[in-house]
Amino acid sequence: MREASTGLLVELYPESNVTDLLLEQAGKDPGHALYARKGPSGWTDVPAGEFLDQVRALAKGLIAGGLAPGDTVAVMSATRYEWTVVDFAIWFAGGVTVPVYETSSASQVEWILHDSGARHVFVEDRAKAALVQGVVDASALLAGRVLGVVRMDYDGDAPNLASLAAAGSGVSDAELERHRSTAGLDDVASLVYTSGTTGRPKGCEITHGNFALVAKNIVLFLQEILLQDRTRTLMFLPLAHVLARAVQVVCLSAGTTLGHTSSAKELLEDLGTFKPTFLLVVPRIFEKVYAGAAQKAAQAGKERLFGAAAAVAVGYSQALDAAARGEGPGPGWGLRARHRLFDRLLYPKLRQAFGGSLGYTVSGASPLSAHDAHFFRGAGVPVLEGYGLTETTAPCTANIPSLTKVGTVGIPIPGTTIRIADDGEILVKGIGVFKGYHANEAANAEAFVDGFFRTGDLGSLDADGFLTITGRKKDLLVTAGGKNVAPGPLEEKIREHQLVAQAVVVGDGRPFVSALVNLDPEGLENWCATHRIPAMGLADAAQDDRVRAAIQASIDEANTLVSKAESIRSFVVLDADFTVESGHLTPSLKLKRAAVVRDFEEQINQIYG
């Protein structure tokens, strides 16, 4: 199949915008808890009416400060409740939100403020305020720019959210409504800058229609998840990432109670106290939970039992998947019996790691290994993998509870068409596709063909319209012998090993394929304990024969997925960690392949002599 579509389920008035979704919820039930805030004594519900009042007060403050409809406002903060309040306040004031990752460098902040033209900036704390002011003071690009910097707190001295709200007390409700209702579906709601795996970030113009239409249609598309009683979810992805904000708007439209956590260290604790009914997860979280569960089992002397339980979970899910594809009868009675046994003994403990109330997880941002998807589904934590980009307001395809095929990223969301070009590139047209790149006509001319957005990803559609991602055009390696190699599947398989944090397959223009591997510090510690090996640091582990043998076994397993010409012949274990701060990962934890290849050129050259 070359093209697949899903019809639109919900249409909206062209004059409406994303703020109407909040008014709709507050009008329906002002006492309903749209959000929950974490405090010293636990989670406190924020009713829709209270949230709306906070949004209106800040929006009036922005208007009093001179914000005109269409003006851009930057937000630089970790994920937190105030981020959401500020986002809607900007929209109510008629402005355009410009997210800035809290981990951004000074040069990135400078470029985004310059390119977007923002004159107002909301920042998380005093440190971020100092960073922004330092950028402005030292920048030739921003020379003469007067920026209003507001801290996102209600305590302490001005300017902060409290002083901003107070400043707007003289703005009338009529003036606020004039600003709020100025934008229509075709108008820009947010300039979201690509996280920049290569090159300078480009500003993607995401419209009110992108956010609102995706939200309204996703709610019905995933109604088994979103339209149940008392749905709850915890957001921990960066809100500067379009996927996190799109999901926030989906949750608002569904009336789902949403909490925020900004610390990965507190995530497991917050899951236990918040008890989400569904969760947006990135693959690295699944990998961590699996490794942690395996380690606990090993420490308790139950390594073989865990291995058996994992095999049953994977086999059970694979049998379900085969039945869904029409390729098998489903789990046999023996497998069902073993599954019931482990569902009493071990799987509940795994489910408890997610809070104990989880019905579904949605995996996005990067590819999830089929093994992990089968394992968690078989253990009672169903995983629905989807696909999207910043330019598609994130989700453009998804598996849904009633239509799921593990290993695929699902079918087109409503109002969306997926086309596979002759060279295998995935093309997208639909309600989520952005308006274009801000002030970059050259990029726009290159990005579209016949009205479809060119994703740069490679994939295929099956007879039922399910999309499978096979690689990325720019990542495709061509060896010296002319063999095309997609690194993604090899890297995903290697990353399944407890020791591995990241794997980067290289070999473009080289005589054979090789890999750079770096170690997971926590995984290394647990692996050493399990194998009764004295603890060692990353530098020592990179040279340790036992560690290298374990990595080699993982690479051997990955090589079974490809032909001999595509297989990894050599590897090097790095003693460095790939992080957002090191410049090797984007804030959404995607690998910056070009940065890795550049920074570790010496190690690559050593592989090839």
Side-chain angles (χ1 to χ4, degrees):
M1 181 181 287
R2 282 290 184 179
E3 188 169 298
S5 300
T6 301
L8 194 66
L9 298 177
V10 180
E11 296 186 19
L12 296 172
Y13 291 113
E15 300 80 13
S16 65
N17 63 51
V18 74
T19 65
D20 290 302
L21 302 182
L22 175 54
L23 295 178
E24 180 182 332
Q25 284 294 338
K28 188 187 306 180
D29 183 359
H32 174 66
L34 280 181
Y35 300 96
R37 300 181 69 180
K38 184 184 177 185
S41 57
W43 297 92
T44 302
D45 286 345
V46 181
E50 179 182 331
F51 178 74
L52 178 58
D53 289 343
Q54 293 174 4
V55 166
R56 282 174 163 159
L58 292 181
K60 287 183 176 183
L62 285 169
I63 294 169
L67 185 76
D71 283 355
T72 50
V73 182
V75 183
M76 186 179 188
S77 170
T79 296
R80 55 192 293 190
Y81 169 76
E82 290 79 10
W83 213 122
T84 307
V85 179
V86 165
D87 201 11
F88 274 89
I90 293 167
W91 286 336
F92 263 71
V96 176
T97 306
V98 183
V100 182
Y101 284 102
E102 75 276 11
T103 55
S104 295
S105 66
S107 62
Q108 290 170 325
V109 173
E110 178 188 37
W111 168 251
I112 292 173
L113 293 180
H114 164 70
D115 191 63
S116 68
R119 291 184 176 273
H120 300 78
V121 185
F122 286 92
V123 294
E124 181 177 1
D125 51 28
R126 294 180 188 276
K128 294 291 189 294
L131 186 153
V132 169
Q133 194 59 55
V135 167
V136 174
D137 293 343
S139 172
L141 284 175
L142 301 174
R145 178 86 62 88
V146 177
L147 278 166
V149 181
V150 179
R151 293 191 326 277
M152 293 164 63
D153 62 53
Y154 288 91
D155 302 317
D157 56 329
N160 63 3
L161 298 185
S163 65
L164 180 65
S169 60
V171 175
S172 68
D173 290 344
E175 179 67 2
L176 174 62
E177 179 59 18
R178 185 181 72 81
H179 278 252
R180 185 201 71 81
S181 59
T182 297
L185 293 183
D186 288 337
D187 291 303
V188 178
S190 191
L191 274 182
V192 182
Y193 282 78
T194 56
S195 49
T197 55
T198 59
R200 178 170 266 175
K202 299 190 289 286
C204 300
E205 296 181 338
I206 310 297
T207 68
H208 284 270
N210 291 146
F211 278 124
L213 282 167
V214 166
K216 280 288 191 179
N217 282 274
I218 286 285
V219 169
L220 290 183
F221 190 56
L222 294 174
Q223 58 186 292
E224 299 100 323
I225 300 173
L226 294 165
L227 294 184
Q228 305 303 309
D229 290 337
R230 299 179 181 178
T231 55
R232 298 169 64 81
T233 193
L234 189 64
M235 178 59 67
F236 60 91
L237 294 182
L239 284 171
H241 193 291
V242 73
L243 175 61
R245 286 176 67 225
V247 169
Q248 279 211 138
V249 179
V250 169
C251 290
L252 170 67
S253 183
T256 293
T257 302
L258 189 144
H260 301 84
T261 184
S262 58
S263 171
K265 295 179 180 178
E266 297 175 6
L267 177 59
L268 291 181
E269 177 186 337
D270 289 345
L271 288 171
T273 57
F274 189 83
K275 299 186 182 304
T277 60
F278 69 92
L279 195 64
L280 175 65
V281 183
V282 293
R284 191 62 181 148
I285 299 299
F286 288 117
E287 293 167 4
K288 287 282 191 181
V289 170
Y290 182 88
Q295 174 62 21
K296 286 181 180 179
Q299 290 175 339
K302 298 179 179 179
E303 188 172 7
R304 291 182 63 185
L305 183 65
F306 180 83
V312 167
V314 171
Y316 187 82
S317 176
Q318 287 174 335
L320 290 176
D321 201 54
R325 296 170 185 262
E327 299 170 357
W333 68 266
L335 182 55
R336 289 182 183 276
R338 294 193 297 277
H339 186 266
R340 282 194 298 269
L341 174 64
F342 287 124
D343 202 35
R344 291 195 300 270
L345 296 177
L346 290 178
Y347 301 153
K349 296 177 183 178
L350 186 79
R351 295 194 288 268
Q352 200 60 44
F354 292 96
S357 301
L358 204 63
Y360 289 93
T361 59
V362 179
S363 179
S366 59
L368 175 68
S369 77
H371 173 274
D372 286 353
H374 281 304
F375 169 76
F376 281 99
R377 182 167 76 156
V381 184
V383 182
L384 303 173
E385 193 170 4
Y387 165 73
L389 305 92
T390 301
E391 291 88 345
T392 63
T393 319
C396 60
T397 71
N399 283 282
I400 61 177
S402 58
L403 288 170
T404 296
K405 291 185 181 181
V406 175
T408 78
V409 291
I411 61 175
I413 69 167
T416 302
T417 298
I418 300 294
R419 176 183 291 177
I420 306 299
D422 291 340
D423 64 355
E425 184 176 9
I426 300 166
L427 311 177
V428 185
K429 179 190 288 187
I431 57 174
V433 175
F434 73 146
K435 195 169 188 176
Y437 294 113
H438 175 66
N440 196 334
E441 289 307 315
N444 288 331
E446 186 180 344
F448 292 90
V449 57
D450 298 331
F452 282 79
F453 173 67
R454 301 173 62 179
T455 66
D457 290 319
L458 301 171
S460 61
L461 289 165
D462 71 11
D464 298 317
F466 283 78
L467 178 65
T468 297
I469 309 298
T470 56
R472 183 150 182 85
K473 287 179 72 173
K474 291 182 180 179
D475 290 346
L476 203 64
L477 309 176
V478 183
T479 67
K483 185 64 178 179
N484 290 345
V485 180
L490 290 164
E491 293 167 348
E492 290 166 27
K493 193 64 179 176
I494 298 168
R495 281 203 310 270
E496 290 179 8
H497 196 283
Q498 178 185 17
L499 283 169
V500 178
Q502 292 288 344
V504 183
V505 172
V506 296
D508 199 41
R510 305 284 193 167
F512 57 86
V513 177
S514 59
L516 304 178
V517 176
N518 68 354
L519 303 175
D520 183 308
E522 183 181 345
L524 174 62
E525 181 182 349
N526 293 336
W527 184 85
C528 288
T530 300
H531 292 81
R532 298 176 182 175
I533 295 172
M536 64 181 96
L538 293 179
D540 290 335
Q543 304 300 322
D544 188 89
D545 289 341
R546 293 160 297 186
V547 171
R548 291 185 59 82
I551 301 292
Q552 183 64 65
S554 178
I555 288 175
D556 290 343
E557 189 174 354
N559 283 340
T560 64
L561 302 175
V562 297
S563 68
K564 185 176 181 180
E566 300 168 273
S567 64
I568 298 168
R569 308 280 185 85
S570 182
F571 70 95
V572 61
V573 181
L574 305 173
D575 62 3
D577 194 12
F578 296 164
T579 65
V580 175
E581 291 73 22
S582 73
H584 300 121
L585 297 180
T586 72
S588 58
L589 304 184
K590 292 179 183 176
L591 190 73
K592 292 185 175 181
R593 185 179 301 277
V596 172
V597 172
R598 179 195 67 224
D599 292 347
F600 295 94
E601 182 181 10
E602 181 180 347
Q603 289 86 339
I604 294 172
N605 288 335
Q606 287 174 0
I607 291 175
Y608 295 103

